[in-house]
């Protein structure tokens, strides 16, 4: 089921975007993987009793809007490590990040951390300050794992702990990981992290381990962004895309040429073509499945991204541009 949170105070533009979503019937590629309906005892004519609304695509292809409290919350079937290697049939998942919309709200980081039981300093999604050259203005760049079609991490892994699925997703099975860190050193995007010491959260037995959730992690193993395949199996967007308040992150299926940020649903090929989409470090030949839309006609001033956390200013305190912002009293 496709899940999109809708507040009652949506403006006219958002309403137009929702109508486009309904008209096109998009994201069928993602919703089809859910298999079983997640709604229970629902009708489109029920009187609203909840402030939060959820839009769901039923198995017979109909879109319905329901109260969030009526959604069946039963857990999805556990995907074992062996099953996680198969991938979701007939899908080619892809992410598009619109840099013009990003203001470093960091909700994508926080949503990912909560879902994957990460500590404050552990980030699968990193939002970095980038300046392409001294004459250009810096911008914020969200950077997950790029789930490459030619992933060097998979090539160097001696145990098969890191593997590439047919649906474009690259995962880590920490049951097979021996902690050699070959994948860490081979990744040109610095997308991987190593668990150096033991933490109490590694003993969590509330759910069985699966590479599709990366929880619980284990000492002496590698972890990274996983594109949230457990969410995809439910027809939901990854946690980072769901959490972003600005609609920066689009996600969808290349096979059906569809991506959505939850409010707006578009053709992937048209979005990349019309907006000049590109892939980070294209010249390396890794063929990432994360695309970027250039940071042109930005919606927010850069300095707004420093207001969310004092640690952000500390990270970039030696950057001349940031030093000038502080001198001018903008941060």
């Amino acid at each position: 089921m496709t899940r999109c949170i809708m507040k009652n105070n949506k403006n006219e533009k958002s309403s137009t975007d929702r109508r486009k979503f309904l008209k096109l019937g998009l994201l069928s590629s993602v919703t089809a993987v859910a298999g079983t309906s997640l709604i229970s005892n629902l009708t489109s004519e029920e009187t609203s009793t909840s402030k939060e609304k959820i839009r769901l695509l039923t198995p017979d292809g109909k879109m319905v809007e329901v109260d969030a409290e009526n959604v069946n919350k039963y857990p999805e079937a556990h995907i074992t490590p062996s099953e996680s290697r198969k991938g979701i049939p007939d899908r080619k998942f892809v992410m598009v990040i619109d840099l013009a919309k990003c203001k470093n709200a960091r909700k994508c980081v926080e949503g990912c951390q909560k879902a994957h039981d990460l500590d404050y300093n552990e980030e699968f999604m990193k939002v970095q300050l980038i300046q392409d050259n001294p004459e250009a203005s810096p911008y914020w760049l969200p950077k997950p794992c790029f789930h490459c079609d030619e992933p060097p991490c998979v090539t160097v892994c001696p145990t098969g702990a890191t593997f590439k699925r047919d649906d474009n997703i690259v995962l880590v099975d920490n049951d097979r990981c021996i902690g050699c860190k070959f994948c860490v050193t081979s990744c040109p995007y610095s997308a991987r992290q190593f668990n150096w010491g033991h933490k109490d959260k590694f003993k969590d037995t509330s759910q069985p381990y699966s590479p599709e959730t990366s929880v619980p992690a284990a000492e002496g193993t590698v972890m990274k962004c996983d594109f949230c395949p457990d969410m995809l199996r439910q027809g939901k967007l990854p946690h980072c895309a769901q959490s972003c308040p600005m609609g920066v992150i689009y996600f969808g299926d290349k096979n059906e040429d569809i991506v959505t940020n939850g409010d707006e649903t578009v053709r992937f090929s048209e979005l990349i073509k019309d907006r000049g989409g590109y892939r980070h470090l294209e010249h390396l030949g890794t063929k990432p499945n994360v695309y970027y839309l250039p940071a042109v006609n930005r919606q927010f001033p850069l300095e707004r991204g420093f207001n969310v956390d004092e640690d952000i200013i500390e990270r970039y305190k030696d950057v001349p541009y940031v030093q000038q912002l502080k001198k001018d009293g903008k941060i």
Side-chain angles (χ1 to χ4, degrees):
M1 296 289 174
T2 300
R3 181 181 189 274
C4 296
I5 303 303
M6 299 171 57
K7 304 298 182 181
N8 291 335
N9 61 350
K10 285 286 188 178
N11 59 24
E12 183 176 349
K13 180 180 183 300
S14 294
S15 297
T16 301
D17 290 336
R18 292 197 296 273
R19 286 195 295 270
K20 290 180 180 177
F21 186 100
L22 294 169
K23 179 180 179 182
L24 294 175
L26 299 178
L27 264 197
S28 59
S29 58
V30 178
T31 57
V33 306
T36 305
S37 173
L38 296 179
I39 58 176
S40 175
N41 300 323
L42 303 177
T43 67
S44 59
E45 297 179 355
E46 283 185 316
T47 303
S48 175
T49 59
S50 172
K51 292 182 178 180
E52 186 179 38
K53 292 291 186 179
I54 297 178
R55 193 169 55 245
L56 300 173
L57 187 63
T58 64
D60 59 356
K62 296 180 180 179
M63 191 71 72
V64 295
E65 183 179 320
V66 301
D67 292 333
E69 62 186 21
N70 289 327
V71 176
N72 190 340
K73 296 297 194 301
Y74 64 79
E76 293 301 302
H78 171 64
I79 303 299
T80 66
S82 60
E83 291 171 333
S84 70
R85 292 179 174 264
K86 301 175 183 178
I88 300 173
D90 304 319
R91 309 300 166 206
K92 293 290 184 183
F93 294 113
V94 64
M95 179 178 287
V96 181
I97 298 176
D98 189 347
L99 300 177
K101 295 180 179 179
C102 184
K103 66 173 184 178
N104 191 31
R106 300 188 63 76
K107 297 301 182 183
C108 60
V109 178
E110 295 170 4
C112 176
Q113 288 175 322
K114 181 178 180 180
H116 294 97
D117 197 18
L118 301 177
D119 295 341
Y120 173 78
N121 62 342
E122 296 173 337
E123 298 178 356
F124 287 176
M125 172 69 83
K126 303 177 178 68
V127 183
Q128 299 179 336
L129 182 65
I130 300 293
Q131 187 173 19
D132 294 326
N133 61 73
E135 305 301 322
S137 296
Y139 56 91
W140 298 107
L141 182 131
K143 192 161 75 68
C145 171
F146 289 89
H147 296 269
C148 307
D149 283 340
E150 299 291 342
C153 55
V154 173
T155 302
V156 301
C157 180
T159 65
T162 291
F163 57 96
K164 172 77 175 180
R165 311 196 318 184
D166 291 338
D167 58 8
N168 278 350
I169 295 178
V170 175
L171 293 180
V172 179
D173 182 352
N174 66 27
D175 285 343
R176 294 194 182 192
C177 182
I178 59 174
C180 66
K181 299 184 287 293
F182 289 174
C183 62
V184 176
T185 57
S186 70
C187 176
Y189 305 106
S190 301
R192 291 170 174 251
Q193 301 178 49
F194 187 73
N195 291 310
W196 289 96
H198 177 74
K199 299 179 180 180
D200 288 341
K201 64 182 181 180
F202 295 165
K203 297 185 293 185
D204 179 19
T205 58
S206 62
Q207 61 178 309
Y209 168 72
S210 172
E212 290 207 350
T213 62
S214 304
V215 177
E219 179 182 1
T221 63
V222 171
M223 59 182 183
K224 70 172 191 71
C225 154
D226 51 26
F227 265 8
C228 303
D230 59 318
M231 300 293 286
L232 302 180
R233 290 186 185 275
Q234 301 176 55
K236 300 177 182 179
L237 292 172
H239 292 286
C240 57
Q242 282 194 21
S243 301
C244 179
M246 312 316 302
V248 172
I249 302 172
Y250 294 77
F251 195 86
D253 184 359
K254 253 186 177 181
N255 282 348
E256 293 206 2
D257 196 25
I258 296 166
V259 290
T260 182
N261 62 4
D263 286 330
E264 179 186 21
T265 305
V266 296
R267 294 294 179 188
F268 165 75
S269 59
E270 293 178 3
L271 185 64
I272 298 303
K273 180 180 179 181
D274 296 344
R275 296 283 305 280
Y278 67 93
R279 299 189 291 194
H280 192 45
L281 302 182
E282 179 75 42
H283 64 282
L284 296 179
T286 58
K287 301 179 181 178
N289 282 297
V290 175
Y291 290 74
Y292 288 98
L293 304 180
V296 296
N297 300 321
R298 278 174 260 181
Q299 298 183 9
F300 308 97
L302 179 82
E303 51 266 30
R304 194 173 293 184
F306 290 98
N307 297 333
V308 294
D309 195 328
E310 285 293 330
D311 180 55
I312 304 302
I313 299 178
E314 181 65 21
R315 291 185 190 185
Y316 300 106
K317 64 181 181 180
D318 296 326
V319 176
Y321 192 95
V322 176
Q323 292 175 341
Q324 187 63 45
L325 287 176
K326 292 184 67 176
K327 183 178 179 180
D328 296 340
K330 294 183 177 180
I331 60 174

